[in-house]
């Protein structure tokens, strides 16, 4: 492999953003080379296996108009399936995986607590304190902590319940996701 590129633009990263940028630049008449450190196209979006279960990891949210992304995927002949959130759970400590329909009632209680956060949080409590006050059990706190660490980059003990309530109040993204 050579380190010399004969191109107008070098795009670093073959994730969705890099590939989208390369496509736009090429359409604008530029010659483009995409370089990727991992050798795998897709960036953070990838499939993996854990304990015999296949999972999708990485890009979870589509910012902007989801219809635009779906249109691009259809034009690229990519099959897309829409699912309601949440569809499945993995309880790591228990090494259990199950569909949302078979989830323990206590997980639904955690969702109910989350749905009530806009009206029921205290101004100075963390998200973890809020969930504990609402009676969310420890096995569900693990799931919630993982979700919020992923979504916000902080654990539930570091997030303010008021900040999460504010985002919920202004969320317009819906609850469906596509795979």
């Amino acid at each position: 492999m050579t380190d010399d590129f004969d191109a107008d633009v070098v795009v670093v990263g073959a994730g969705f953003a890099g590939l989208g940028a390369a496509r736009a630049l090429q359409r604008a008449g530029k010659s483009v080379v995409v370089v990727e450190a991992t050798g795998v196209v897709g960036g953070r979006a990838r499939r993996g296996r854990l304990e015999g279960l296949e999972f999708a990891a990485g890009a979870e949210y589509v910012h902007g108009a989801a219809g635009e992304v779906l249109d691009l995927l259809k034009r690229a002949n990519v099959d897309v399936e829409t699912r309601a959130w949440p569809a499945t759970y993995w309880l790591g400590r228990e090494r259990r995986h199950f569909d949302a329909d078979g989830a323990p009632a206590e997980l639904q209680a955690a969702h109910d607590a989350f749905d009530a956060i806009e009206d029921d949080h205290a101004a100075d409590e963390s998200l973890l304190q809020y969930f504990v006050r609402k009676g969310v059990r420890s096995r569900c706190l693990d799931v919630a902590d993982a979700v919020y660490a992923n979504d916000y980059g902080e654990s539930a003990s570091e997030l303010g319940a008021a900040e999460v309530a504010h985002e919920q109040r202004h969320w317009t993204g819906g609850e469906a996701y596509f795979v």
Side-chain angles (χ1 to χ4, degrees):
M1 183 158 94
T2 179
D3 291 337
D4 296 325
F5 301 108
D6 184 19
D8 295 323
V9 179
V10 175
V11 174
V12 178
F16 286 129
L19 294 174
R23 183 175 187 214
L25 287 162
Q26 192 174 43
R27 284 186 171 166
K30 301 293 183 187
S31 60
V32 180
V33 172
V34 178
V35 295
E36 170 58 46
T38 67
V40 178
V41 173
R44 292 184 300 149
R46 63 189 65 223
R47 293 198 174 277
R49 292 191 75 73
L50 176 67
E51 307 255 340
L53 300 169
E54 186 174 336
F55 66 92
E60 300 155 18
Y61 300 108
V62 175
H63 299 282
E68 293 172 5
V69 174
L70 289 173
D71 183 53
L72 285 172
L73 291 170
K74 287 177 187 174
R75 283 191 275 154
N77 294 318
V78 174
D79 291 327
V80 176
E81 176 185 337
T82 302
R83 295 185 183 174
W85 185 93
T88 62
Y89 292 94
W90 168 257
L91 295 179
R93 285 190 197 176
E94 298 173 25
R95 305 185 95 57
R96 286 187 56 213
H97 174 262
F98 43 86
D99 291 331
D101 294 341
E106 63 197 85
L107 279 173
Q108 184 58 50
H111 285 290
D112 292 344
F114 180 76
D115 289 342
I117 197 168
E118 289 180 49
D119 299 321
D120 195 27
H121 70 280
D124 61 346
E125 70 185 337
S126 71
L127 183 60
L128 179 62
Q129 290 168 327
Y130 169 77
F131 280 139
V132 168
R133 181 171 59 80
K134 295 296 285 183
V136 175
R137 295 184 52 194
S138 64
R139 70 194 291 214
C140 299
L141 290 174
D142 290 342
V143 173
D145 199 38
V147 167
Y148 286 100
N150 187 47
D151 289 355
Y152 292 91
E154 292 285 350
S155 69
S157 63
E158 299 296 319
L159 286 169
E163 287 77 18
V164 174
H166 176 80
E167 183 184 25
Q168 274 302 100
R169 191 172 299 113
H170 299 285
W171 178 252
T172 61
E175 294 299 325
Y177 68 99
F178 53 89
V179 293

Tab-separated table of all heavy atoms in Angstrom, residues 123-177:
chain	number	residue	atom	x	y	z
A	123	ALA	N	-35.293	19.037	41.711
A	123	ALA	CA	-34.336	19.878	40.996
A	123	ALA	C	-32.881	19.494	41.243
A	123	ALA	O	-32.048	19.620	40.357
A	123	ALA	CB	-34.550	21.341	41.364
A	124	ASP	N	-32.565	19.004	42.440
A	124	ASP	CA	-31.161	18.765	42.773
A	124	ASP	C	-30.763	17.286	42.799
A	124	ASP	O	-29.671	16.947	43.195
A	124	ASP	CB	-30.839	19.394	44.125
A	124	ASP	CG	-31.686	18.800	45.250
A	124	ASP	OD1	-32.687	18.109	44.960
A	124	ASP	OD2	-31.343	19.027	46.419
A	125	GLU	N	-31.633	16.394	42.326
A	125	GLU	CA	-31.274	14.976	42.401
A	125	GLU	C	-30.669	14.483	41.088
A	125	GLU	O	-30.957	14.994	40.012
A	125	GLU	CB	-32.476	14.110	42.789
A	125	GLU	CG	-33.559	13.975	41.768
A	125	GLU	CD	-34.771	13.206	42.283
A	125	GLU	OE1	-34.671	12.415	43.222
A	125	GLU	OE2	-35.856	13.439	41.715
A	126	SER	N	-29.800	13.481	41.225
A	126	SER	CA	-29.226	12.856	40.041
A	126	SER	C	-30.268	11.907	39.444
A	126	SER	O	-31.267	11.562	40.091
A	126	SER	CB	-27.963	12.073	40.398
A	126	SER	OG	-28.298	10.902	41.126
A	127	LEU	N	-30.011	11.469	38.246
A	127	LEU	CA	-30.906	10.508	37.626
A	127	LEU	C	-30.937	9.212	38.439
A	127	LEU	O	-32.006	8.626	38.638
A	127	LEU	CB	-30.468	10.227	36.186
A	127	LEU	CG	-31.348	9.290	35.382
A	127	LEU	CD1	-32.765	9.841	35.252
A	127	LEU	CD2	-30.736	9.049	34.008
A	128	LEU	N	-29.791	8.800	38.946
A	128	LEU	CA	-29.741	7.593	39.776
A	128	LEU	C	-30.588	7.771	41.036
A	128	LEU	O	-31.373	6.889	41.399
A	128	LEU	CB	-28.297	7.260	40.150
A	128	LEU	CG	-28.101	6.039	41.041
A	128	LEU	CD1	-28.603	4.780	40.354
A	128	LEU	CD2	-26.644	5.898	41.427
A	129	GLN	N	-30.460	8.908	41.707
A	129	GLN	CA	-31.268	9.172	42.902
A	129	GLN	C	-32.755	9.159	42.570
A	129	GLN	O	-33.566	8.631	43.334
A	129	GLN	CB	-30.875	10.515	43.521
A	129	GLN	CG	-29.508	10.509	44.146
A	129	GLN	CD	-29.033	11.907	44.479
A	129	GLN	OE1	-29.343	12.878	43.774
A	129	GLN	NE2	-28.270	12.029	45.561
A	130	TYR	N	-33.105	9.720	41.436
A	130	TYR	CA	-34.504	9.718	41.004
A	130	TYR	C	-35.014	8.294	40.842
A	130	TYR	O	-36.071	7.930	41.356
A	130	TYR	CB	-34.659	10.504	39.693
A	130	TYR	CG	-36.008	10.325	39.055
A	130	TYR	CD1	-37.124	10.994	39.545
A	130	TYR	CD2	-36.177	9.461	37.971
A	130	TYR	CE1	-38.377	10.815	38.974
A	130	TYR	CE2	-37.421	9.288	37.388
A	130	TYR	CZ	-38.510	9.959	37.895
A	130	TYR	OH	-39.744	9.776	37.334
A	131	PHE	N	-34.260	7.472	40.115
A	131	PHE	CA	-34.690	6.088	39.893
A	131	PHE	C	-34.801	5.315	41.199
A	131	PHE	O	-35.749	4.551	41.390
A	131	PHE	CB	-33.746	5.366	38.935
A	131	PHE	CG	-33.995	5.673	37.480
A	131	PHE	CD1	-32.937	5.859	36.617
A	131	PHE	CD2	-35.279	5.755	36.961
A	131	PHE	CE1	-33.148	6.119	35.269
A	131	PHE	CE2	-35.503	6.017	35.624
A	131	PHE	CZ	-34.441	6.201	34.780
A	132	VAL	N	-33.865	5.512	42.097
A	132	VAL	CA	-33.927	4.821	43.396
A	132	VAL	C	-35.168	5.280	44.155
A	132	VAL	O	-35.906	4.471	44.728
A	132	VAL	CB	-32.635	5.061	44.207
A	132	VAL	CG1	-32.797	4.608	45.643
A	132	VAL	CG2	-31.460	4.339	43.539
A	133	ARG	N	-35.422	6.596	44.162
A	133	ARG	CA	-36.604	7.118	44.844
A	133	ARG	C	-37.891	6.550	44.261
A	133	ARG	O	-38.864	6.307	44.979
A	133	ARG	CB	-36.616	8.653	44.756
A	133	ARG	CG	-37.807	9.302	45.451
A	133	ARG	CD	-37.682	10.811	45.528
A	133	ARG	NE	-37.553	11.485	44.269
A	133	ARG	CZ	-38.567	11.765	43.436
A	133	ARG	NH1	-39.796	11.410	43.739
A	133	ARG	NH2	-38.351	12.411	42.308
A	134	LYS	N	-37.893	6.294	42.957
A	134	LYS	CA	-39.071	5.733	42.297
A	134	LYS	C	-39.177	4.213	42.476
A	134	LYS	O	-40.112	3.593	41.997
A	134	LYS	CB	-39.064	6.067	40.804
A	134	LYS	CG	-39.179	7.552	40.505
A	134	LYS	CD	-40.491	8.134	40.951
A	134	LYS	CE	-41.593	7.733	40.019
A	134	LYS	NZ	-42.893	8.327	40.352
A	135	GLY	N	-38.200	3.623	43.167
A	135	GLY	CA	-38.271	2.195	43.459
A	135	GLY	C	-37.749	1.289	42.363
A	135	GLY	O	-38.039	0.081	42.353
A	136	VAL	N	-36.971	1.823	41.454
A	136	VAL	CA	-36.391	0.987	40.402
A	136	VAL	C	-35.347	0.073	41.039
A	136	VAL	O	-34.475	0.531	41.772
A	136	VAL	CB	-35.760	1.854	39.292
A	136	VAL	CG1	-35.059	0.991	38.263
A	136	VAL	CG2	-36.830	2.732	38.644
A	137	ARG	N	-35.461	-1.212	40.780
A	137	ARG	CA	-34.592	-2.204	41.410
A	137	ARG	C	-33.204	-2.210	40.786
A	137	ARG	O	-33.003	-1.769	39.658
A	137	ARG	CB	-35.241	-3.578	41.310
A	137	ARG	CG	-36.546	-3.602	42.134
A	137	ARG	CD	-37.206	-4.923	42.174
A	137	ARG	NE	-36.292	-5.990	42.594
A	137	ARG	CZ	-36.561	-7.273	42.450
A	137	ARG	NH1	-37.697	-7.654	41.904
A	137	ARG	NH2	-35.712	-8.187	42.840
A	138	SER	N	-32.241	-2.746	41.529
A	138	SER	CA	-30.835	-2.660	41.128
A	138	SER	C	-30.552	-3.306	39.780
A	138	SER	O	-29.755	-2.790	39.008
A	138	SER	CB	-29.936	-3.262	42.200
A	138	SER	OG	-30.182	-4.637	42.342
A	139	ARG	N	-31.172	-4.425	39.447
A	139	ARG	CA	-30.889	-5.046	38.154
A	139	ARG	C	-31.344	-4.145	37.012
A	139	ARG	O	-30.756	-4.148	35.930
A	139	ARG	CB	-31.509	-6.432	38.066
A	139	ARG	CG	-33.016	-6.413	37.970
A	139	ARG	CD	-33.651	-7.753	38.207
A	139	ARG	NE	-33.402	-8.707	37.172
A	139	ARG	CZ	-34.285	-9.625	36.799
A	139	ARG	NH1	-35.453	-9.707	37.403
A	139	ARG	NH2	-33.993	-10.466	35.853
A	140	CYS	N	-32.383	-3.357	37.230
A	140	CYS	CA	-32.847	-2.416	36.218
A	140	CYS	C	-31.987	-1.161	36.200
A	140	CYS	O	-31.829	-0.528	35.154
A	140	CYS	CB	-34.299	-2.055	36.457
A	140	CYS	SG	-35.390	-3.470	36.366
A	141	LEU	N	-31.432	-0.805	37.346
A	141	LEU	CA	-30.538	0.347	37.393
A	141	LEU	C	-29.313	0.103	36.521
A	141	LEU	O	-28.799	1.029	35.895
A	141	LEU	CB	-30.123	0.656	38.830
A	141	LEU	CG	-31.220	1.205	39.729
A	141	LEU	CD1	-30.719	1.330	41.156
A	141	LEU	CD2	-31.728	2.541	39.209
A	142	ASP	N	-28.853	-1.144	36.474
A	142	ASP	CA	-27.720	-1.471	35.605
A	142	ASP	C	-28.048	-1.183	34.149
A	142	ASP	O	-27.242	-0.625	33.411
A	142	ASP	CB	-27.328	-2.946	35.754
A	142	ASP	CG	-26.696	-3.253	37.096
A	142	ASP	OD1	-26.249	-2.315	37.783
A	142	ASP	OD2	-26.638	-4.448	37.445
A	143	VAL	N	-29.250	-1.591	33.715
A	143	VAL	CA	-29.674	-1.346	32.338
A	143	VAL	C	-29.789	0.156	32.103
A	143	VAL	O	-29.276	0.687	31.118
A	143	VAL	CB	-31.018	-2.046	32.028
A	143	VAL	CG1	-31.531	-1.651	30.647
A	143	VAL	CG2	-30.867	-3.560	32.130
A	144	ALA	N	-30.434	0.864	33.010
A	144	ALA	CA	-30.604	2.311	32.864
A	144	ALA	C	-29.254	3.018	32.828
A	144	ALA	O	-29.034	3.918	32.014
A	144	ALA	CB	-31.464	2.863	34.002
A	145	ASP	N	-28.341	2.607	33.692
A	145	ASP	CA	-27.026	3.241	33.731
A	145	ASP	C	-26.290	3.040	32.412
A	145	ASP	O	-25.677	3.956	31.885
A	145	ASP	CB	-26.211	2.704	34.897
A	145	ASP	CG	-25.065	3.627	35.258
A	145	ASP	OD1	-25.235	4.857	35.208
A	145	ASP	OD2	-23.985	3.106	35.590
A	146	ALA	N	-26.380	1.839	31.849
A	146	ALA	CA	-25.731	1.570	30.564
A	146	ALA	C	-26.344	2.416	29.459
A	146	ALA	O	-25.635	2.983	28.622
A	146	ALA	CB	-25.832	0.087	30.227
A	147	VAL	N	-27.669	2.529	29.450
A	147	VAL	CA	-28.358	3.318	28.429
A	147	VAL	C	-27.934	4.780	28.510
A	147	VAL	O	-27.580	5.400	27.514
A	147	VAL	CB	-29.891	3.185	28.568
A	147	VAL	CG1	-30.616	4.226	27.724
A	147	VAL	CG2	-30.330	1.778	28.193
A	148	TYR	N	-27.939	5.337	29.717
A	148	TYR	CA	-27.610	6.753	29.854
A	148	TYR	C	-26.131	7.027	29.664
A	148	TYR	O	-25.764	8.068	29.118
A	148	TYR	CB	-28.126	7.309	31.183
A	148	TYR	CG	-29.611	7.466	31.098
A	148	TYR	CD1	-30.466	6.532	31.650
A	148	TYR	CD2	-30.161	8.513	30.388
A	148	TYR	CE1	-31.830	6.641	31.521
A	148	TYR	CE2	-31.525	8.642	30.250
A	148	TYR	CZ	-32.356	7.699	30.819
A	148	TYR	OH	-33.700	7.813	30.674
A	149	ALA	N	-25.277	6.106	30.061
A	149	ALA	CA	-23.848	6.288	29.804
A	149	ALA	C	-23.611	6.333	28.300
A	149	ALA	O	-22.796	7.114	27.811
A	149	ALA	CB	-23.052	5.158	30.447
A	150	ASN	N	-24.343	5.518	27.563
A	150	ASN	CA	-24.212	5.502	26.116
A	150	ASN	C	-24.812	6.763	25.494
A	150	ASN	O	-24.201	7.394	24.640
A	150	ASN	CB	-24.883	4.254	25.555
A	150	ASN	CG	-24.638	4.103	24.075
A	150	ASN	OD1	-23.523	4.228	23.615
A	150	ASN	ND2	-25.690	3.855	23.338
A	151	ASP	N	-25.998	7.140	25.916
A	151	ASP	CA	-26.689	8.290	25.315
A	151	ASP	C	-26.037	9.619	25.668
A	151	ASP	O	-25.935	10.507	24.835
A	151	ASP	CB	-28.147	8.341	25.773
A	151	ASP	CG	-28.987	7.228	25.173
A	151	ASP	OD1	-28.471	6.478	24.324
A	151	ASP	OD2	-30.161	7.116	25.558
A	152	TYR	N	-25.636	9.778	26.925
A	152	TYR	CA	-25.156	11.072	27.403
A	152	TYR	C	-23.658	11.120	27.678
A	152	TYR	O	-23.127	12.171	27.973
A	152	TYR	CB	-25.873	11.446	28.706
A	152	TYR	CG	-27.342	11.742	28.537
A	152	TYR	CD1	-28.288	10.745	28.677
A	152	TYR	CD2	-27.780	13.025	28.257
A	152	TYR	CE1	-29.642	11.010	28.539
A	152	TYR	CE2	-29.127	13.306	28.116
A	152	TYR	CZ	-30.052	12.291	28.258
A	152	TYR	OH	-31.382	12.554	28.122
A	153	GLY	N	-23.006	9.969	27.673
A	153	GLY	CA	-21.584	9.945	27.983
A	153	GLY	C	-21.315	10.079	29.468
A	153	GLY	O	-20.196	10.359	29.880
A	154	GLU	N	-22.317	9.894	30.293
A	154	GLU	CA	-22.189	9.973	31.743
A	154	GLU	C	-23.018	8.874	32.382
A	154	GLU	O	-24.022	8.445	31.827
A	154	GLU	CB	-22.700	11.323	32.275
A	154	GLU	CG	-21.868	12.510	31.895
A	154	GLU	CD	-20.570	12.611	32.667
A	154	GLU	OE1	-20.381	11.858	33.646
A	154	GLU	OE2	-19.747	13.441	32.284
A	155	SER	N	-22.626	8.470	33.561
A	155	SER	CA	-23.429	7.493	34.292
A	155	SER	C	-24.650	8.186	34.888
A	155	SER	O	-24.693	9.418	34.993
A	155	SER	CB	-22.596	6.843	35.399
A	155	SER	OG	-22.318	7.793	36.401
A	156	ALA	N	-25.614	7.390	35.301
A	156	ALA	CA	-26.846	7.946	35.884
A	156	ALA	C	-26.557	8.719	37.162
A	156	ALA	O	-27.302	9.625	37.520
A	156	ALA	CB	-27.848	6.824	36.142
A	157	SER	N	-25.476	8.386	37.858
A	157	SER	CA	-25.139	9.112	39.087
A	157	SER	C	-24.565	10.496	38.785
A	157	SER	O	-24.577	11.372	39.646
A	157	SER	CB	-24.149	8.308	39.935
A	157	SER	OG	-22.935	8.127	39.232
A	158	GLU	N	-24.086	10.717	37.573
A	158	GLU	CA	-23.505	12.005	37.193
A	158	GLU	C	-24.494	12.902	36.447
A	158	GLU	O	-24.234	14.086	36.277
A	158	GLU	CB	-22.266	11.784	36.312
A	158	GLU	CG	-21.155	11.019	36.998
A	158	GLU	CD	-20.589	11.769	38.191
A	158	GLU	OE1	-20.421	13.002	38.099
A	158	GLU	OE2	-20.317	11.118	39.206
A	159	LEU	N	-25.591	12.333	35.987
A	159	LEU	CA	-26.584	13.105	35.242
A	159	LEU	C	-27.623	13.687	36.179
A	159	LEU	O	-28.097	13.004	37.085
A	159	LEU	CB	-27.313	12.209	34.242
A	159	LEU	CG	-26.538	11.796	33.010
A	159	LEU	CD1	-27.288	10.709	32.269
A	159	LEU	CD2	-26.306	12.989	32.107
A	160	GLY	N	-28.015	14.906	35.947
A	160	GLY	CA	-29.089	15.503	36.722
A	160	GLY	C	-30.441	15.073	36.173
A	160	GLY	O	-30.654	15.057	34.960
A	161	ALA	N	-31.345	14.702	37.041
A	161	ALA	CA	-32.686	14.311	36.607
A	161	ALA	C	-33.372	15.477	35.888
A	161	ALA	O	-34.114	15.268	34.927
A	161	ALA	CB	-33.519	13.845	37.801
A	162	ALA	N	-33.104	16.698	36.330
A	162	ALA	CA	-33.717	17.875	35.688
A	162	ALA	C	-33.252	18.015	34.241
A	162	ALA	O	-34.043	18.373	33.363
A	162	ALA	CB	-33.382	19.139	36.480
A	163	GLU	N	-31.980	17.718	33.976
A	163	GLU	CA	-31.472	17.823	32.609
A	163	GLU	C	-32.107	16.761	31.704
A	163	GLU	O	-32.453	17.030	30.558
A	163	GLU	CB	-29.939	17.681	32.585
A	163	GLU	CG	-29.204	18.881	33.128
A	163	GLU	CD	-29.207	18.961	34.661
A	163	GLU	OE1	-29.468	17.942	35.333
A	163	GLU	OE2	-28.953	20.053	35.179
A	164	VAL	N	-32.262	15.550	32.242
A	164	VAL	CA	-32.896	14.483	31.467
A	164	VAL	C	-34.366	14.833	31.215
A	164	VAL	O	-34.883	14.640	30.122
A	164	VAL	CB	-32.745	13.127	32.181
A	164	VAL	CG1	-33.523	12.035	31.464
A	164	VAL	CG2	-31.263	12.750	32.273
A	165	ALA	N	-35.030	15.384	32.232
A	165	ALA	CA	-36.429	15.795	32.070
A	165	ALA	C	-36.552	16.868	30.988
A	165	ALA	O	-37.474	16.840	30.172
A	165	ALA	CB	-36.986	16.313	33.391
A	166	HIS	N	-35.597	17.800	30.968
A	166	HIS	CA	-35.606	18.858	29.953
A	166	HIS	C	-35.486	18.250	28.555
A	166	HIS	O	-36.223	18.632	27.639
A	166	HIS	CB	-34.467	19.846	30.201
A	166	HIS	CG	-34.356	20.902	29.160
A	166	HIS	ND1	-35.157	22.018	29.145
A	166	HIS	CD2	-33.550	20.992	28.076
A	166	HIS	CE1	-34.847	22.770	28.105
A	166	HIS	NE2	-33.875	22.157	27.435
A	167	GLU	N	-34.576	17.314	28.393
A	167	GLU	CA	-34.423	16.701	27.076
A	167	GLU	C	-35.685	15.929	26.687
A	167	GLU	O	-36.129	15.998	25.552
A	167	GLU	CB	-33.227	15.763	27.014
A	167	GLU	CG	-33.082	15.229	25.606
A	167	GLU	CD	-32.003	14.211	25.417
A	167	GLU	OE1	-31.634	13.534	26.381
A	167	GLU	OE2	-31.561	14.083	24.278
A	168	GLN	N	-36.275	15.212	27.620
A	168	GLN	CA	-37.505	14.474	27.326
A	168	GLN	C	-38.606	15.415	26.860
A	168	GLN	O	-39.349	15.117	25.942
A	168	GLN	CB	-37.990	13.710	28.556
A	168	GLN	CG	-37.359	12.359	28.719
A	168	GLN	CD	-37.599	11.490	27.509
A	168	GLN	OE1	-36.735	11.361	26.661
A	168	GLN	NE2	-38.754	10.904	27.398
A	169	ARG	N	-38.696	16.552	27.510
A	169	ARG	CA	-39.733	17.532	27.168
A	169	ARG	C	-39.578	18.016	25.730
A	169	ARG	O	-40.544	18.332	25.061
A	169	ARG	CB	-39.645	18.707	28.143
A	169	ARG	CG	-40.797	19.672	28.087
A	169	ARG	CD	-40.734	20.704	29.206
A	169	ARG	NE	-40.794	20.092	30.521
A	169	ARG	CZ	-39.785	20.087	31.414
A	169	ARG	NH1	-38.645	20.676	31.145
A	169	ARG	NH2	-39.932	19.503	32.588
A	170	HIS	N	-38.333	18.065	25.246
A	170	HIS	CA	-38.058	18.619	23.924
A	170	HIS	C	-37.714	17.561	22.881
A	170	HIS	O	-37.378	17.916	21.751
A	170	HIS	CB	-36.936	19.656	24.028
A	170	HIS	CG	-37.299	20.795	24.927
A	170	HIS	ND1	-38.173	21.786	24.541
A	170	HIS	CD2	-36.955	21.062	26.201
A	170	HIS	CE1	-38.329	22.642	25.546
A	170	HIS	NE2	-37.607	22.214	26.559
A	171	TRP	N	-37.795	16.279	23.235
A	171	TRP	CA	-37.447	15.205	22.312
A	171	TRP	C	-38.499	15.097	21.218
A	171	TRP	O	-39.686	15.036	21.502
A	171	TRP	CB	-37.346	13.883	23.086
A	171	TRP	CG	-37.044	12.709	22.197
A	171	TRP	CD1	-37.917	11.715	21.858
A	171	TRP	CD2	-35.817	12.384	21.581
A	171	TRP	NE1	-37.296	10.799	21.053
A	171	TRP	CE2	-35.996	11.199	20.860
A	171	TRP	CE3	-34.568	13.013	21.536
A	171	TRP	CZ2	-34.979	10.593	20.129
A	171	TRP	CZ3	-33.558	12.408	20.805
A	171	TRP	CH2	-33.766	11.221	20.117
A	172	THR	N	-38.051	15.079	19.977
A	172	THR	CA	-38.981	14.946	18.847
A	172	THR	C	-38.638	13.761	17.970
A	172	THR	O	-39.223	13.593	16.898
A	172	THR	CB	-38.958	16.225	17.987
A	172	THR	OG1	-37.635	16.416	17.474
A	172	THR	CG2	-39.415	17.440	18.779
A	173	GLY	N	-37.684	12.940	18.406
A	173	GLY	CA	-37.194	11.865	17.561
A	173	GLY	C	-38.051	10.629	17.478
A	173	GLY	O	-37.806	9.755	16.675
A	174	GLY	N	-39.067	10.516	18.326
A	174	GLY	CA	-39.899	9.322	18.309
A	174	GLY	C	-39.224	8.166	19.036
A	174	GLY	O	-38.122	8.293	19.551
A	175	GLU	N	-39.908	7.037	19.068
A	175	GLU	CA	-39.397	5.882	19.809
A	175	GLU	C	-39.061	4.702	18.915
A	175	GLU	O	-38.657	3.668	19.392
A	175	GLU	CB	-40.409	5.447	20.873
A	175	GLU	CG	-40.590	6.478	21.971
A	175	GLU	CD	-39.307	6.764	22.743
A	175	GLU	OE1	-38.499	5.838	22.949
A	175	GLU	OE2	-39.111	7.915	23.140
A	176	ALA	N	-39.250	4.820	17.619
A	176	ALA	CA	-38.926	3.722	16.722
A	176	ALA	C	-37.473	3.830	16.276
A	176	ALA	O	-36.895	4.907	16.256
A	176	ALA	CB	-39.847	3.737	15.505
A	177	TYR	N	-36.890	2.704	15.975
A	177	TYR	CA	-35.554	2.710	15.392
A	177	TYR	C	-35.539	1.711	14.257
A	177	TYR	O	-36.431	0.897	14.113
A	177	TYR	CB	-34.474	2.428	16.425
A	177	TYR	CG	-34.467	1.031	16.998
A	177	TYR	CD1	-33.586	0.085	16.515
A	177	TYR	CD2	-35.313	0.670	18.040
A	177	TYR	CE1	-33.550	-1.193	17.047
A	177	TYR	CE2	-35.281	-0.596	18.574
A	177	TYR	CZ	-34.397	-1.527	18.067
A	177	TYR	OH	-34.368	-2.786	18.591
